[in-house]
Amino acid sequence: NAASSDVNKKCKKLFFNVSDAPISPKDLRSIYAEISYLYLDDVTIAKPKYFSLILGHGEEDNSTALSYLDFYIPE
């Protein structure tokens, strides 16, 4: 809590060009997951399942992973 204001300000300053909307520190997990999926060689795994695995959610927890589908990378 003591550093959250500073982290939020730095995040908005550093990642201003990533999205049309301001980026918050919690958005970085979604962005990380999306970038990781883009570079994944095994495209047979569904995106929510992959997000659950790399973000540390339960193996069967696909519903939480759906909340990380906030960003996409245009091709």
Side-chain angles (χ1 to χ4, degrees):
N1 268 349
S4 65
S5 177
D6 289 337
V7 171
N8 195 25
K9 288 176 188 172
K10 287 195 186 282
C11 187
K12 286 181 176 151
K13 182 178 179 182
L14 291 172
F15 299 105
F16 71 93
N17 61 346
V18 171
S19 174
D20 294 337
I23 299 295
S24 69
K26 76 170 192 66
D27 294 331
L28 296 179
R29 287 176 57 87
S30 297
I31 294 168
Y32 160 73
E34 188 67 34
I35 292 170
S36 296
Y37 191 77
L38 177 69
Y39 288 102
L40 178 68
D41 288 331
D42 180 12
V43 293
T44 60
I45 187 169
K47 190 182 279 192
K49 180 73 164 179
Y50 181 72
F51 284 15
S52 289
L53 292 172
I54 67 167
L55 296 175
H57 298 286
E59 194 168 314
E60 299 301 320
D61 183 9
N62 290 328
S63 61
T64 304
L66 293 174
S67 69
Y68 288 98
L69 296 174
D70 297 331
F71 297 91
Y72 71 95
I73 300 170
E75 296 192 28

Coordinates of all heavy atoms in Angstrom, one line a residue:
N1 N 0.8 -1.2 0.0 CA 0.0 0.0 0.0 C 0.8 1.3 0.0 O 0.5 2.3 -0.6 CB -0.9 0.0 1.2 CG -2.3 -0.6 0.9 OD1 -2.6 -0.9 -0.3 ND2 -3.1 -0.8 1.9
A2 N 2.0 1.2 0.7 CA 2.8 2.4 0.8 C 3.4 2.8 -0.6 O 3.5 4.0 -0.8 CB 4.0 2.1 1.8
A3 N 3.6 1.9 -1.4 CA 4.2 2.3 -2.7 C 3.2 2.2 -3.9 O 3.5 2.5 -5.0 CB 5.3 1.3 -3.0
S4 N 1.9 1.9 -3.6 CA 1.0 1.7 -4.7 C 0.8 2.9 -5.6 O 0.6 2.8 -6.8 CB -0.4 1.1 -4.2 OG -1.0 2.1 -3.4
S5 N 0.7 4.1 -5.0 CA 0.5 5.3 -5.7 C 1.7 5.6 -6.7 O 1.5 5.9 -7.9 CB 0.4 6.5 -4.8 OG 0.2 7.7 -5.5
D6 N 2.9 5.4 -6.2 CA 4.1 5.6 -7.0 C 4.2 4.5 -8.1 O 4.5 4.9 -9.3 CB 5.4 5.5 -6.2 CG 5.6 6.7 -5.3 OD1 5.0 7.7 -5.6 OD2 6.3 6.5 -4.3
V7 N 3.8 3.3 -7.8 CA 3.9 2.2 -8.8 C 2.8 2.5 -9.9 O 3.1 2.4 -11.1 CB 3.6 0.8 -8.2 CG1 3.4 -0.2 -9.3 CG2 4.8 0.5 -7.3
N8 N 1.7 3.0 -9.5 CA 0.6 3.3 -10.5 C 1.0 4.4 -11.4 O 0.8 4.4 -12.6 CB -0.7 3.6 -9.7 CG -1.9 3.6 -10.6 OD1 -1.9 3.0 -11.6 ND2 -2.9 4.4 -10.2
K9 N 1.6 5.5 -10.9 CA 2.1 6.6 -11.7 C 3.2 6.2 -12.7 O 3.1 6.5 -13.8 CB 2.6 7.7 -10.8 CG 1.5 8.4 -10.0 CD 2.2 9.5 -9.1 CE 1.1 10.1 -8.2 NZ 1.7 10.9 -7.1
K10 N 4.1 5.4 -12.2 CA 5.2 4.9 -13.1 C 4.7 4.0 -14.2 O 5.1 4.0 -15.3 CB 6.3 4.2 -12.3 CG 7.1 5.2 -11.4 CD 8.4 4.5 -11.0 CE 9.1 5.4 -10.0 NZ 9.9 6.5 -10.7
C11 N 3.7 3.2 -13.8 CA 3.1 2.2 -14.8 C 2.5 3.0 -15.9 O 2.7 2.7 -17.1 CB 2.2 1.3 -14.1 SG 1.5 0.0 -15.1
K12 N 1.7 4.0 -15.5 CA 1.0 4.8 -16.6 C 2.0 5.6 -17.4 O 1.8 5.7 -18.6 CB 0.0 5.8 -15.9 CG -1.2 5.1 -15.4 CD -2.1 6.0 -14.7 CE -3.4 5.3 -14.3 NZ -4.1 5.7 -13.2
K13 N 3.1 6.0 -16.8 CA 4.1 6.8 -17.6 C 4.9 5.9 -18.5 O 5.2 6.2 -19.7 CB 5.1 7.5 -16.6 CG 6.1 8.3 -17.2 CD 7.0 9.0 -16.2 CE 8.1 9.8 -16.9 NZ 9.0 10.4 -15.9
L14 N 5.3 4.7 -18.0 CA 6.1 3.8 -18.8 C 5.3 3.1 -19.9 O 5.9 2.8 -21.0 CB 6.8 2.8 -17.9 CG 7.9 3.3 -17.0 CD1 8.3 2.2 -16.0 CD2 9.0 3.8 -17.8
F15 N 4.1 2.8 -19.7 CA 3.3 2.0 -20.7 C 2.2 2.8 -21.3 O 1.2 2.2 -21.8 CB 2.7 0.8 -19.9 CG 3.8 -0.1 -19.4 CD1 4.0 -0.1 -18.0 CD2 4.5 -0.9 -20.2 CE1 5.0 -1.0 -17.5 CE2 5.5 -1.8 -19.7 CZ 5.8 -1.8 -18.3
F16 N 2.4 4.1 -21.5 CA 1.4 4.9 -22.1 C 1.0 4.6 -23.5 O -0.1 4.8 -24.0 CB 1.8 6.4 -22.0 CG 2.9 6.8 -22.9 CD1 2.6 7.2 -24.2 CD2 4.2 6.6 -22.6 CE1 3.7 7.6 -25.1 CE2 5.3 6.9 -23.4 CZ 5.0 7.4 -24.7
N17 N 2.0 4.0 -24.2 CA 1.8 3.7 -25.7 C 1.3 2.2 -25.9 O 1.3 1.8 -27.1 CB 3.1 4.0 -26.4 CG 4.2 3.1 -26.0 OD1 4.2 2.5 -24.9 ND2 5.3 3.1 -26.8
V18 N 1.0 1.5 -24.9 CA 0.6 0.1 -25.0 C -0.9 0.0 -25.4 O -1.3 -0.9 -26.1 CB 0.9 -0.7 -23.7 CG1 0.3 -2.1 -23.8 CG2 2.4 -0.8 -23.5
S19 N -1.7 0.9 -24.9 CA -3.1 0.8 -25.1 C -3.7 2.2 -25.2 O -3.1 3.2 -24.8 CB -3.7 0.0 -23.9 OG -5.1 0.0 -23.9
D20 N -4.9 2.3 -25.7 CA -5.6 3.5 -25.7 C -6.0 4.0 -24.3 O -6.2 5.2 -24.0 CB -6.9 3.5 -26.6 CG -6.5 3.2 -28.1 OD1 -5.4 3.6 -28.4 OD2 -7.4 2.7 -28.8
A21 N -6.3 3.0 -23.4 CA -6.7 3.3 -22.1 C -5.4 3.3 -21.2 O -4.4 2.6 -21.5 CB -7.6 2.3 -21.6
P22 N -5.4 4.0 -20.1 CA -4.3 4.0 -19.2 C -4.1 2.6 -18.6 O -5.0 1.9 -18.3 CB -4.7 5.0 -18.1 CG -5.8 5.8 -18.6 CD -6.5 5.0 -19.6
I23 N -2.8 2.2 -18.5 CA -2.4 0.9 -18.0 C -2.2 1.0 -16.5 O -1.4 1.8 -16.0 CB -1.2 0.4 -18.7 CG1 -1.4 0.3 -20.2 CG2 -0.7 -0.9 -18.1 CD1 -2.4 -0.7 -20.6
S24 N -2.8 0.1 -15.7 CA -2.6 0.0 -14.3 C -1.6 -1.2 -14.0 O -1.5 -2.1 -14.9 CB -3.9 -0.2 -13.6 OG -4.4 -1.4 -13.8
P25 N -1.0 -1.2 -12.9 CA -0.1 -2.4 -12.6 C -0.8 -3.7 -12.7 O -0.2 -4.7 -13.1 CB 0.3 -2.1 -11.1 CG 0.2 -0.6 -11.0 CD -1.0 -0.2 -11.8
K26 N -2.1 -3.8 -12.4 CA -2.8 -5.2 -12.5 C -2.9 -5.6 -13.9 O -3.0 -6.8 -14.2 CB -4.1 -5.1 -11.8 CG -5.2 -4.4 -12.5 CD -6.6 -4.7 -11.9 CE -7.7 -4.2 -12.7 NZ -7.8 -5.0 -14.0
D27 N -2.9 -4.6 -14.9 CA -3.0 -4.9 -16.3 C -1.8 -5.6 -16.8 O -1.9 -6.3 -17.8 CB -3.3 -3.6 -17.1 CG -4.6 -3.0 -16.8 OD1 -5.6 -3.7 -16.5 OD2 -4.7 -1.8 -16.9
L28 N -0.7 -5.5 -16.1 CA 0.6 -6.0 -16.6 C 0.5 -7.6 -16.7 O 1.1 -8.2 -17.5 CB 1.7 -5.6 -15.8 CG 2.0 -4.1 -15.8 CD1 3.2 -3.7 -14.9 CD2 2.3 -3.6 -17.2
R29 N -0.3 -8.2 -15.8 CA -0.4 -9.7 -15.8 C -1.1 -10.1 -17.1 O -0.8 -11.0 -17.8 CB -1.2 -10.2 -14.6 CG -0.3 -10.1 -13.3 CD -1.1 -10.5 -12.1 NE -1.7 -11.9 -12.2 CZ -1.2 -13.0 -11.8 NH1 0.1 -13.0 -11.4 NH2 -1.8 -14.1 -11.9
S30 N -2.2 -9.3 -17.5 CA -2.9 -9.6 -18.7 C -2.0 -9.5 -19.9 O -2.0 -10.3 -20.9 CB -4.1 -8.7 -18.8 OG -5.0 -8.9 -17.8
I31 N -1.2 -8.4 -19.9 CA -0.4 -8.1 -21.1 C 0.7 -9.2 -21.2 O 1.0 -9.7 -22.2 CB 0.3 -6.7 -20.9 CG1 -0.9 -5.7 -21.1 CG2 1.4 -6.5 -21.9 CD1 -0.5 -4.3 -20.7
Y32 N 1.3 -9.6 -20.0 CA 2.3 -10.6 -20.0 C 1.7 -11.9 -20.6 O 2.4 -12.6 -21.4 CB 2.8 -10.8 -18.6 CG 3.5 -12.2 -18.4 CD1 4.7 -12.5 -18.9 CD2 2.8 -13.2 -17.6 CE1 5.3 -13.7 -18.7 CE2 3.4 -14.4 -17.5 CZ 4.7 -14.7 -18.0 OH 5.2 -15.9 -17.8
A33 N 0.5 -12.3 -20.1 CA -0.1 -13.5 -20.6 C -0.3 -13.5 -22.1 O -0.1 -14.5 -22.8 CB -1.4 -13.8 -19.8
E34 N -0.8 -12.4 -22.6 CA -1.1 -12.3 -24.0 C 0.2 -12.3 -24.9 O 0.2 -13.0 -25.9 CB -1.8 -10.9 -24.3 CG -2.3 -10.8 -25.7 CD -3.4 -11.7 -26.1 OE1 -4.2 -12.0 -25.2 OE2 -3.5 -12.1 -27.2
I35 N 1.3 -11.7 -24.4 CA 2.5 -11.7 -25.1 C 3.1 -13.2 -25.1 O 3.6 -13.7 -26.1 CB 3.5 -10.7 -24.6 CG1 3.1 -9.3 -24.9 CG2 5.0 -11.0 -25.1 CD1 3.9 -8.2 -24.2
S36 N 3.0 -13.8 -24.0 CA 3.5 -15.2 -23.8 C 2.8 -16.1 -24.8 O 3.4 -17.0 -25.4 CB 3.4 -15.7 -22.4 OG 4.1 -14.9 -21.5
Y37 N 1.5 -15.9 -24.9 CA 0.7 -16.8 -25.7 C 1.0 -16.6 -27.2 O 1.1 -17.5 -28.0 CB -0.8 -16.6 -25.5 CG -1.7 -17.6 -26.2 CD1 -1.9 -18.9 -25.7 CD2 -2.4 -17.3 -27.4 CE1 -2.6 -19.8 -26.3 CE2 -3.2 -18.2 -28.0 CZ -3.3 -19.5 -27.5 OH -4.1 -20.4 -28.1
L38 N 1.3 -15.3 -27.5 CA 1.7 -15.0 -28.9 C 3.0 -15.8 -29.4 O 3.1 -16.2 -30.5 CB 1.9 -13.5 -29.0 CG 2.4 -13.0 -30.4 CD1 1.3 -13.1 -31.4 CD2 2.9 -11.5 -30.3
Y39 N 3.9 -15.9 -28.4 CA 5.2 -16.6 -28.8 C 5.2 -18.0 -28.4 O 6.2 -18.7 -28.6 CB 6.3 -15.9 -28.0 CG 6.6 -14.5 -28.6 CD1 6.2 -13.4 -28.0 CD2 7.3 -14.4 -29.8 CE1 6.5 -12.1 -28.6 CE2 7.6 -13.2 -30.4 CZ 7.2 -12.0 -29.8 OH 7.4 -10.8 -30.3
L40 N 4.0 -18.6 -28.0 CA 3.9 -20.0 -27.7 C 4.0 -20.8 -29.0 O 3.3 -20.5 -30.0 CB 2.6 -20.2 -27.0 CG 2.3 -21.7 -26.6 CD1 3.3 -22.2 -25.5 CD2 0.9 -21.8 -26.0
D41 N 4.8 -21.9 -29.0 CA 4.9 -22.7 -30.2 C 3.7 -23.7 -30.2 O 3.3 -24.1 -31.3 CB 6.2 -23.5 -30.2 CG 7.4 -22.6 -30.5 OD1 7.2 -21.6 -31.2 OD2 8.5 -22.8 -30.0
D42 N 3.2 -24.1 -29.1 CA 2.2 -25.1 -29.0 C 0.8 -24.4 -29.0 O 0.3 -24.1 -28.0 CB 2.3 -26.0 -27.7 CG 1.2 -27.0 -27.6 OD1 0.5 -27.3 -28.6 OD2 1.1 -27.6 -26.5
V43 N 0.2 -24.3 -30.2 CA -1.0 -23.6 -30.3 C -2.2 -24.5 -30.1 O -3.4 -24.1 -30.4 CB -1.2 -22.9 -31.7 CG1 -0.2 -21.7 -31.8 CG2 -1.0 -23.9 -32.8
T44 N -2.0 -25.7 -29.6 CA -3.1 -26.6 -29.4 C -3.7 -26.4 -28.0 O -4.8 -26.9 -27.8 CB -2.6 -28.1 -29.5 OG1 -1.6 -28.3 -28.5 CG2 -2.0 -28.4 -30.9
I45 N -3.1 -25.6 -27.2 CA -3.7 -25.3 -25.9 C -4.6 -24.0 -26.0 O -4.2 -23.1 -26.6 CB -2.6 -25.1 -24.8 CG1 -3.2 -25.0 -23.4 CG2 -1.7 -24.0 -25.1 CD1 -2.1 -25.1 -22.3
A46 N -5.7 -24.1 -25.4 CA -6.6 -22.9 -25.4 C -6.0 -21.8 -24.6 O -5.3 -22.0 -23.6 CB -8.0 -23.3 -24.8
K47 N -6.3 -20.6 -25.0 CA -5.7 -19.4 -24.4 C -6.1 -19.3 -22.9 O -5.2 -19.1 -22.1 CB -6.2 -18.1 -25.1 CG -5.5 -16.9 -24.6 CD -6.0 -15.6 -25.3 CE -5.4 -15.5 -26.7 NZ -5.6 -14.1 -27.3
P48 N -7.4 -19.5 -22.5 CA -7.6 -19.5 -21.0 C -6.9 -20.5 -20.2 O -6.4 -20.2 -19.1 CB -9.2 -19.7 -20.9 CG -9.7 -19.3 -22.3 CD -8.6 -19.6 -23.2
K49 N -6.7 -21.7 -20.8 CA -6.0 -22.8 -20.1 C -4.5 -22.4 -19.9 O -3.9 -22.5 -18.9 CB -6.1 -24.1 -20.9 CG -5.4 -25.2 -20.3 CD -6.2 -25.7 -19.1 CE -5.7 -27.1 -18.7 NZ -6.4 -27.5 -17.6
Y50 N -4.0 -21.8 -21.0 CA -2.6 -21.4 -20.9 C -2.4 -20.3 -19.9 O -1.5 -20.3 -19.1 CB -2.1 -20.9 -22.3 CG -0.7 -20.5 -22.4 CD1 0.4 -21.4 -22.3 CD2 -0.4 -19.1 -22.5 CE1 1.7 -21.0 -22.3 CE2 0.9 -18.7 -22.5 CZ 2.0 -19.6 -22.4 OH 3.3 -19.2 -22.5
F51 N -3.3 -19.3 -19.9 CA -3.2 -18.2 -18.9 C -3.3 -18.8 -17.5 O -2.5 -18.3 -16.6 CB -4.4 -17.2 -19.1 CG -4.2 -16.3 -20.3 CD1 -3.3 -16.5 -21.3 CD2 -5.0 -15.2 -20.4 CE1 -3.1 -15.7 -22.4 CE2 -4.8 -14.3 -21.5 CZ -3.9 -14.5 -22.5
S52 N -4.2 -19.7 -17.3 CA -4.2 -20.3 -15.9 C -2.9 -20.9 -15.5 O -2.5 -20.8 -14.4 CB -5.3 -21.4 -15.9 OG -6.6 -20.8 -16.0
L53 N -2.3 -21.6 -16.4 CA -1.0 -22.3 -16.1 C 0.1 -21.3 -15.8 O 0.8 -21.5 -14.8 CB -0.6 -23.2 -17.3 CG -1.5 -24.4 -17.5 CD1 -1.1 -25.2 -18.8 CD2 -1.4 -25.4 -16.3
I54 N 0.2 -20.3 -16.6 CA 1.4 -19.4 -16.5 C 1.2 -18.4 -15.4 O 2.1 -17.8 -14.8 CB 1.8 -18.7 -17.8 CG1 0.8 -17.7 -18.3 CG2 2.2 -19.7 -18.8 CD1 1.3 -16.8 -19.3
L55 N -0.1 -18.1 -15.0 CA -0.4 -17.1 -14.0 C -0.6 -17.7 -12.6 O -0.9 -17.0 -11.7 CB -1.6 -16.3 -14.4 CG -1.4 -15.4 -15.7 CD1 -2.7 -14.7 -16.0 CD2 -0.3 -14.4 -15.5
G56 N -0.4 -19.0 -12.5 CA -0.5 -19.7 -11.2 C -1.8 -20.0 -10.7 O -2.0 -20.2 -9.5
H57 N -2.8 -20.1 -11.5 CA -4.1 -20.5 -11.1 C -4.2 -22.0 -11.1 O -3.4 -22.7 -11.7 CB -5.2 -19.9 -12.0 CG -5.2 -18.4 -11.9 ND1 -5.7 -17.7 -10.9 CD2 -4.7 -17.5 -12.8 CE1 -5.5 -16.4 -11.1 NE2 -4.9 -16.3 -12.3
G58 N -5.3 -22.6 -10.5 CA -5.5 -24.0 -10.5 C -5.6 -24.6 -11.9 O -6.0 -23.9 -12.8
E59 N -5.2 -25.8 -12.0 CA -5.1 -26.4 -13.3 C -6.5 -26.5 -14.0 O -6.6 -26.4 -15.2 CB -4.6 -27.9 -13.2 CG -4.2 -28.5 -14.5 CD -3.4 -29.7 -14.3 OE1 -2.5 -29.7 -13.5 OE2 -3.7 -30.7 -15.0
E60 N -7.6 -26.6 -13.2 CA -8.9 -26.6 -13.8 C -9.6 -25.3 -13.7 O -10.8 -25.2 -14.0 CB -9.7 -27.7 -13.0 CG -9.2 -29.1 -13.2 CD -9.1 -29.6 -14.6 OE1 -10.0 -29.3 -15.4 OE2 -8.1 -30.2 -14.9
D61 N -8.9 -24.2 -13.3 CA -9.6 -22.9 -13.1 C -9.5 -22.1 -14.4 O -8.6 -21.3 -14.6 CB -8.9 -22.2 -12.0 CG -9.5 -20.9 -11.6 OD1 -10.6 -20.6 -12.2 OD2 -8.9 -20.1 -10.9
N62 N -10.4 -22.3 -15.3 CA -10.5 -21.5 -16.5 C -11.3 -20.2 -16.3 O -11.1 -19.3 -17.1 CB -11.1 -22.3 -17.6 CG -10.2 -23.4 -18.1 OD1 -8.9 -23.3 -18.0 ND2 -10.7 -24.5 -18.5
S63 N -12.2 -20.2 -15.4 CA -13.0 -19.0 -15.2 C -12.2 -17.8 -14.8 O -12.4 -16.6 -15.2 CB -14.2 -19.2 -14.3 OG -13.7 -19.6 -13.0
T64 N -11.2 -18.0 -13.9 CA -10.4 -16.8 -13.5 C -9.5 -16.3 -14.6 O -9.3 -15.1 -14.8 CB -9.5 -17.3 -12.3 OG1 -10.3 -17.7 -11.2 CG2 -8.6 -16.1 -11.8
A65 N -9.1 -17.3 -15.4 CA -8.2 -16.9 -16.6 C -9.0 -16.0 -17.6 O -8.4 -15.2 -18.2 CB -7.7 -18.1 -17.3
L66 N -10.3 -16.2 -17.6 CA -11.1 -15.4 -18.6 C -11.0 -13.9 -18.2 O -11.2 -13.0 -19.1 CB -12.5 -15.9 -18.6 CG -12.7 -17.3 -19.2 CD1 -14.2 -17.7 -19.0 CD2 -12.3 -17.3 -20.6
S67 N -10.8 -13.6 -16.9 CA -10.7 -12.2 -16.5 C -9.5 -11.5 -17.0 O -9.3 -10.3 -16.9 CB -10.9 -12.1 -15.0 OG -9.7 -12.6 -14.4
Y68 N -8.5 -12.3 -17.5 CA -7.3 -11.8 -18.0 C -7.3 -11.5 -19.5 O -6.3 -11.2 -20.1 CB -6.1 -12.7 -17.7 CG -5.7 -12.6 -16.2 CD1 -6.2 -13.6 -15.3 CD2 -5.0 -11.6 -15.7 CE1 -5.9 -13.6 -14.0 CE2 -4.7 -11.5 -14.4 CZ -5.1 -12.5 -13.5 OH -4.8 -12.5 -12.2
L69 N -8.4 -11.7 -20.2 CA -8.5 -11.6 -21.6 C -8.9 -10.1 -21.9 O -9.8 -9.8 -22.8 CB -9.6 -12.5 -22.2 CG -9.2 -14.0 -22.1 CD1 -10.4 -14.9 -22.5 CD2 -8.0 -14.3 -22.8
D70 N -8.2 -9.2 -21.3 CA -8.5 -7.8 -21.5 C -7.8 -7.1 -22.7 O -8.2 -6.1 -23.2 CB -8.1 -7.0 -20.2 CG -8.8 -7.4 -19.0 OD1 -10.0 -7.8 -19.2 OD2 -8.3 -7.3 -17.9
F71 N -6.7 -7.7 -23.1 CA -5.9 -7.1 -24.2 C -5.7 -8.1 -25.3 O -5.8 -9.3 -25.1 CB -4.5 -6.7 -23.6 CG -4.6 -5.7 -22.5 CD1 -4.7 -6.0 -21.2 CD2 -4.5 -4.4 -22.9 CE1 -4.8 -5.0 -20.2 CE2 -4.6 -3.4 -21.9 CZ -4.7 -3.7 -20.6
Y72 N -5.4 -7.6 -26.5 CA -5.0 -8.5 -27.6 C -4.0 -7.8 -28.4 O -3.8 -6.6 -28.3 CB -6.3 -8.8 -28.4 CG -6.8 -7.7 -29.2 CD1 -6.4 -7.5 -30.5 CD2 -7.6 -6.7 -28.7 CE1 -6.8 -6.4 -31.3 CE2 -8.1 -5.7 -29.4 CZ -7.7 -5.5 -30.7 OH -8.1 -4.4 -31.4
I73 N -3.3 -8.6 -29.1 CA -2.2 -8.0 -30.0 C -2.7 -8.1 -31.4 O -2.9 -9.2 -31.9 CB -0.9 -8.8 -29.8 CG1 -0.4 -8.7 -28.3 CG2 0.2 -8.3 -30.7 CD1 0.7 -9.6 -28.0
P74 N -2.9 -7.0 -32.1 CA -3.3 -7.0 -33.4 C -2.2 -7.6 -34.3 O -1.0 -7.3 -34.1 CB -3.6 -5.5 -33.8 CG -2.9 -4.7 -32.7 CD -2.7 -5.6 -31.5
E75 N -2.6 -8.3 -35.3 CA -1.7 -8.9 -36.2 C -1.5 -8.1 -37.5 O -2.3 -7.4 -37.9 CB -2.1 -10.3 -36.5 CG -2.0 -11.1 -35.2 CD -2.2 -12.6 -35.5 OE1 -1.8 -13.1 -36.6 OE2 -2.7 -13.3 -34.6

